[in-house]
Amino acid sequence: MLKNKGFKSLLMVMMIALLFITAACGNKAEDSTSNGSSDTEQTSDDQSSDTGEEEAVDDEDVTVEMGGQIEIDGSSTVYPLTEAAAEEFGKFNPDVRVTVGVSGTGGGFKRFCSGELAIADASRPIKDEEAKACSDNGIEYSDLTIAYDGLSLVVSKDNDFIDHLTVEELNKIFTTGSTVKTWADVRAGWPAEKILMYSPGAESGTYDYFNEAILEKKGIRNDTQISFSEDDNTLVQGVEGSKYAIGYFGFAYYEENADKLKVVPIDAGKGAIAPSTETIKDGTYAPLSRPLFIYVNKEEMSRPEVYAFADYYINNIGSLASEVGYVPLPDDQYSEEATKLH
């Protein structure tokens, strides 16, 4: 009886020990499986990371790094537009240096047609002789209309007698060979004070436009009563400094100096009309509303920075034009102009 009891006790101990061994083996297998899964996930992450690095390298490979210099010169009227475009473009392309000169439309075309410039600013279309000079030198170009401007006649804020001028009176004042000396020679009742005139220089597109639109191409007088400058700021200072002075330049320069100058409404036969965004855009400010241009050298556009700048210019100049005092084109016209670059 005792023997049977002892045998049963031994059997019980052996069964309990077997259970402990089985459990231990099971835990070891689970740990092994768990560790295997972790290794697999790590390998997958590493592969994913490696792939990402390869993709990043690929992206860098297709990025075009732009640098170098773009030289622009020409119209002082167009200068604020191009300078604004250059400044904004530079924020995205700091390694591209864009320089903008103000030698006047004619001066800009001389340099452009001799191959010195990537882009010329112009306040009038290119003349036949200028186009021939470009052709003779193998310069092909795209001409882009960028905005509208209204050539503005201005006098000093102190001038208290001029309320408007007619086209005929402007012709009498400015035309070559004029005998007008004082304001009394222009209109009865005005003071017999010597007129001081300020005009853009002969290289300026504004000079050419005024000569054509107001003086019927007779030419502008050149005597001791008139001063010429390619710098519109010099003209502003001259007019501002005398109650009896008169000058002309682009509408943007008037707006910039409206606290110092008074704009003169012009009567071309339909009543006196002053330049404004509305009258320039709808053409009622006649005959002194005009389009503005840039000319882009086609060969220079093979340089990625020149193409990128020209493309940025024509696609953004509409909003910039309003900011710096010019009248933008309709949006669909900017789209048409942009196709000239392709």
Side-chain angles (χ1 to χ4, degrees):
M1 194 70 176
L2 288 174
K3 283 182 182 180
N4 288 337
K5 261 186 181 181
F7 177 79
K8 287 181 179 179
S9 298
L10 179 60
L11 185 60
M12 184 67 70
V13 170
M14 289 175 66
M15 289 177 66
I16 291 171
L18 182 61
L19 287 172
F20 274 115
I21 291 170
T22 303
C25 289
N27 288 338
K28 202 177 275 190
E30 286 177 9
D31 289 343
S32 175
T33 303
S34 175
N35 289 338
S37 173
S38 177
D39 290 344
T40 302
E41 288 173 10
Q42 182 63 43
T43 302
S44 176
D45 289 342
D46 289 344
Q47 289 173 345
S48 176
S49 176
D50 290 343
T51 302
E53 288 175 4
E54 288 173 4
E55 288 174 355
V57 171
D58 289 343
D59 287 343
E60 290 174 6
D61 287 343
V62 297
T63 300
V64 177
E65 295 294 335
M66 288 193 298
Q69 180 171 330
I70 302 171
E71 191 168 1
I72 305 170
D73 198 358
S75 168
S76 60
T77 301
V78 179
Y79 171 82
L81 286 164
T82 300
E83 183 69 8
E87 184 177 334
E88 291 301 311
F89 179 78
K91 292 177 182 178
F92 305 102
N93 302 278
D95 294 329
V96 180
R97 185 173 175 228
V98 183
T99 61
V100 188
V102 285
S103 66
T105 297
F109 276 135
K110 281 180 184 176
R111 297 189 64 201
F112 181 76
C113 292
S114 64
E116 296 178 37
L117 304 176
I119 297 172
D121 290 339
S123 58
R124 59 161 172 79
I126 193 168
K127 294 179 179 178
D128 290 343
E129 58 267 31
E130 292 164 338
K132 184 178 184 304
C134 278
S135 178
D136 290 345
N137 290 317
I139 306 295
E140 296 183 359
Y141 53 80
S142 295
D143 57 306
L144 308 178
T145 305
I146 55 171
Y148 292 114
D149 177 44
L151 192 155
S152 303
L153 276 295
V154 294
V155 294
S156 166
K157 279 281 191 184
D158 296 330
N159 187 304
D160 55 5
F161 58 91
I162 295 179
D163 58 351
H164 78 281
L165 285 164
T166 66
V167 169
E168 290 75 17
E169 288 170 334
L170 286 174
N171 195 299
K172 186 188 297 187
I173 294 168
F174 283 97
T175 194
T176 186
S178 172
T179 58
V180 167
K181 301 293 183 183
T182 72
W183 284 109
D185 295 330
V186 178
R187 192 183 299 180
W190 282 359
E193 297 286 347
K194 185 178 178 180
I195 302 173
L196 299 178
M197 287 159 268
Y198 292 87
S199 168
E203 293 293 328
S204 169
T206 302
Y207 173 104
D208 289 333
Y209 190 79
F210 187 77
N211 180 37
E212 182 174 343
I214 299 297
L215 307 182
E216 300 172 341
K217 298 185 179 181
K218 296 173 185 174
I220 296 176
R221 66 192 288 175
N222 187 5
D223 53 44
T224 58
Q225 286 187 240
I226 190 165
S227 298
F228 297 94
S229 177
E230 301 295 349
D231 185 349
D232 289 339
N233 291 311
T234 299
L235 303 179
V236 169
Q237 292 167 11
V239 175
E240 178 191 3
S242 172
K243 179 177 180 178
Y244 304 107
I246 185 170
Y248 65 94
F249 37 73
F251 180 64
Y253 279 97
Y254 158 67
E255 281 210 318
E256 188 178 327
N257 296 278
D259 58 329
K260 307 170 188 174
L261 303 172
K262 183 169 75 172
V263 72
V264 180
I266 303 301
D267 187 350
K270 296 183 179 180
I273 298 174
S276 68
T277 299
E278 292 74 23
T279 60
I280 294 169
K281 192 169 188 175
D282 64 21
T284 56
Y285 182 62
L288 295 175
S289 298
R290 58 178 176 166
L292 303 175
F293 311 89
I294 61 170
Y295 286 71
V296 187
N297 183 316
K298 286 187 176 181
E299 184 176 350
E300 285 287 304
M301 277 199 288
S302 64
R303 294 166 53 199
E305 62 270 25
V306 175
Y307 176 82
F309 177 74
D311 186 63
Y312 178 86
Y313 195 122
I314 200 62
N315 284 296
N316 292 275
I317 202 62
S319 58
L320 293 174
S322 299
E323 292 176 16
V324 293
Y326 295 80
V327 179
L329 309 178
D331 289 342
D332 57 350
Q333 189 171 346
Y334 281 118
S335 298
E336 289 178 17
E337 295 299 314
T339 63
K340 296 178 182 179
L341 297 175
H342 303 291

